[in-house]
Amino acid sequence: MPYIPHTTDQVRRMLDVVGVDSMEALFENIPASMRPKSFDLPEGLSEDAVLNKLSAIADMNETGKASFLGAGFYDHFQPRAVRALVSRSEFYTAYTPYQAEASQGTLQAIFEFQTAICRLFEMDCANASAYDGGTAIFEACMMAIRKTKRSKIIIDEALSPIYRRMLDTMTSSLDIEAVIVPHANGTSDKAALAAAIDKDTAAVVVQNPNFFGVVEDFSDLAAVAKENKALTIMSVYPVLASVLKTPGSMGADIVVGEGQSLGLPLSFGGPYLGLMTCTKALVRQLPGRIAGRTEDKQGRTGYVLTLQAREQHIRRAKATSNICSNQALCALMAHVQMCMLGPVGLRRQAVLSMELARYAQARLTAVHGVEMLNDAPYGNEFAITLPLPADKVVAALAQQGVAAGFPLGRYYKGLENALLVATTDKNTAEQIDRLAAGLKEAL
């Protein structure tokens, strides 16, 4: 039986209001040549048949692989309470908190999320999230261009190539000069980055750890940028930010990141969460929404949207952003995750991920022909070189139930034999042993 949401009487009443006699008359202004000849739809199925069909399709997905994929997206443990809390209807049905008097819970959650991200990155201000990590990079660049009134952006090639492609797309019709500084065998060439900064530079964009997993200290680079009145934009991995030198202490002006690692499950490319923070001097350039805490006439704590200079509130070019999807539910999930783990738990998650990476590095480099791409310090991700093309090795290990890592040759010419391997707290020593054994067999 087909599902038809409107009864015959309801359709009749609608036509009477419109002032036509029939559905055919309703569409008579559309030329016959532009109307569909057929919708070419199969016969309908019962609810049970549809469920069986979709379940059979879902069962085709391979979900049991031991995964060592990273490249900006990481499968960390999420306490069960996180999903239970954000699944409450008052959270997942909540919309934009335009009416503060009716949205105190949502506004408080946003304010506390912003506070947690500021503390994690050691920055002054945060917004109520951006669409994803790549969007946040673009928004940060636009902040720098508006603030400095310059149009040159210096970009480290060790910044995620996924984000660099997104940046290319979003700036393709804008008068922006992007200068890519080549990486140095998987490390950020800080001397070359510093040399590229001049009086026309709006910002220098770096990542820590970089796309190759290498941990850097960009304090000196940020100082050079400041001397030239340019801004430093840093993309960071929030879990590792709990143990590494903070971007704020390095002198970063704008700090962004992909918030997926803070408890958001990996699911066919999303949903993701863009983190954005900045110094107080730049807060009026920060896109999206910023929740603030205040008091009413009786001295009671209340929460409001303090700044919201987006296209819904400010016209066209005067808006700080026209990519305004803030991921409020995802931000809430990340905040609950951070609260559940606490500072100690988040650091333990980072340290365990890094310890497993060192075990993986020892096991993999013990395989004949496998070497580290460089000897730079790394977090929970590192690059190795193989005697065979990495994509072929990955394909061979996939047949053994192991997702071995990310072939770097997809984005970096000359690194076709290089493989990026990541570990998280959800990996085990037994899985790493399987990876090493499979790699040895594949080679």
Side-chain angles (χ1 to χ4, degrees):
M1 178 179 178
Y3 175 71
I4 300 174
H6 303 108
T7 66
T8 303
D9 182 59
Q10 287 173 327
V11 172
R12 178 72 263 161
R13 285 157 52 196
M14 180 271 291
L15 294 173
D16 289 343
V17 171
V18 174
V20 295
D21 296 331
S22 65
M23 293 294 293
E24 291 73 20
L26 183 64
F27 297 109
E28 67 180 2
N29 289 334
I30 301 175
S33 61
M34 298 180 67
R35 298 183 188 183
K37 302 299 183 292
S38 170
F39 288 104
D40 192 26
L41 295 174
E43 290 296 320
L45 300 174
S46 68
E47 181 179 351
D48 187 53
V50 170
L51 288 173
N52 289 336
K53 186 176 181 65
L54 294 178
S55 295
I57 294 172
D59 288 342
M60 296 169 66
N61 294 320
E62 296 184 34
T63 59
K65 283 187 171 65
S67 178
F68 297 93
L69 278 166
F73 310 97
Y74 305 93
D75 188 20
H76 287 286
F77 172 72
Q78 180 200 67
R80 295 296 182 267
V82 175
R83 183 67 64 91
L85 288 172
V86 300
S87 295
R88 291 177 60 91
S89 60
E90 61 264 41
F91 291 136
Y92 70 71
T93 62
Y95 187 58
T96 298
Y98 288 129
Q99 294 177 274
E101 67 276 13
S103 306
Q104 284 300 293
T106 299
L107 287 166
Q108 181 177 350
I110 290 173
F111 177 82
E112 291 182 356
F113 163 77
Q114 293 169 180
T115 303
I117 297 302
C118 285
R119 288 175 176 172
L120 184 62
F121 295 164
E122 202 176 342
M123 297 296 289
D124 298 332
C125 309
N127 69 6
S129 79
Y131 190 71
D132 59 13
T135 302
I137 288 279
F138 166 73
E139 297 286 17
C141 290
M142 297 308 297
M143 285 177 65
I145 288 168
R146 290 193 299 269
K147 182 66 176 179
T148 64
K149 296 179 172 55
R150 301 173 180 178
S151 60
K152 182 189 290 187
I153 303 292
I154 309 299
I155 302 171
D156 184 2
E157 193 185 19
L159 175 71
S160 167
I162 302 168
Y163 293 168
R164 285 192 281 112
R165 285 195 173 188
M166 292 176 69
L167 195 56
D168 285 345
T169 300
M170 294 176 180
T171 61
S172 60
S173 61
L174 302 177
D175 185 20
I176 295 174
E177 180 186 359
V179 178
I180 307 296
V181 176
H183 69 91
N185 198 37
T187 66
S188 298
D189 192 338
K190 289 182 283 189
L193 286 164
I197 299 172
D198 57 22
K199 61 181 178 59
D200 297 319
T201 302
V204 56
V205 185
V206 294
Q207 179 175 326
N208 189 47
N210 71 20
F211 190 73
F212 300 89
V214 173
V215 174
E216 305 273 9
D217 185 346
F218 290 106
S219 301
D220 292 343
L221 181 66
V224 172
K226 197 174 296 293
E227 288 173 6
N228 287 272
K229 295 181 170 56
L231 303 182
T232 300
I233 299 171
M234 194 177 301
S235 176
V236 299
Y237 174 7
V239 172
L240 260 59
S242 66
V243 293
L244 300 180
K245 186 175 182 178
T246 65
S249 66
M250 292 187 210
D253 298 287
I254 306 172
V255 182
V256 300
E258 172 53 62
Q260 174 277 322
S261 62
L262 295 174
L264 274 68
L266 291 168
S267 180
F268 297 95
Y272 292 140
L273 167 66
L275 309 176
M276 285 202 75
T277 65
C278 66
T279 59
K280 189 175 181 179
L282 297 170
V283 68
R284 289 196 172 274
Q285 299 297 334
L286 194 59
R289 299 188 178 102
I290 303 172
R293 184 171 61 190
T294 185
E295 291 184 353
D296 66 10
K297 289 183 178 180
Q298 285 74 45
R300 296 173 301 185
T301 297
Y303 299 89
V304 295
L305 284 177
T306 304
L307 293 174
Q308 42 188 334
R310 47 183 283 181
E311 105 293 346
Q312 288 180 327
H313 312 286
I314 295 179
R315 287 185 179 179
R316 299 176 183 171
K318 291 185 178 179
T320 54
S321 174
N322 285 284
I323 310 174
C324 290
S325 293
N326 86 80
Q327 305 299 84
L329 186 61
C330 295
L332 176 66
M333 184 177 288
H335 178 50
V336 175
Q337 170 89 354
M338 287 187 283
C339 290
M340 284 288 173
L341 295 177
V344 174
L346 191 61
R347 284 194 291 269
R348 285 180 60 189
Q349 198 171 59
V351 169
L352 179 55
S353 301
M354 295 168 67
E355 287 175 345
L356 285 166
R358 272 117 190 105
Y359 179 68
Q361 184 231 334
R363 295 286 282 114
L364 297 181
T365 53
V367 177
H368 180 71
V370 178
E371 297 179 354
M372 292 289 288
L373 177 65
N374 55 55
D375 59 0
Y378 61 91
N380 67 321
E381 195 166 20
F382 56 92
I384 55 176
T385 59
L386 311 172
L388 296 175
D391 55 355
K392 292 184 178 180
V393 174
V394 167
L397 266 71
Q399 300 300 315
Q400 302 179 32
V402 177
F406 187 87
L408 287 167
R410 292 183 184 178
Y411 290 108
Y412 292 95
K413 188 175 180 180
L415 292 180
E416 287 74 17
N417 285 23
L419 182 67
L420 188 64
V421 180
T423 57
T424 72
D425 51 300
K426 289 181 68 173
N427 288 118
T428 65
E430 290 77 16
Q431 289 179 341
I432 294 170
D433 293 340
R434 281 176 57 196
L435 171 64
L439 184 60
K440 183 176 181 180
E441 182 179 335
L443 297 179

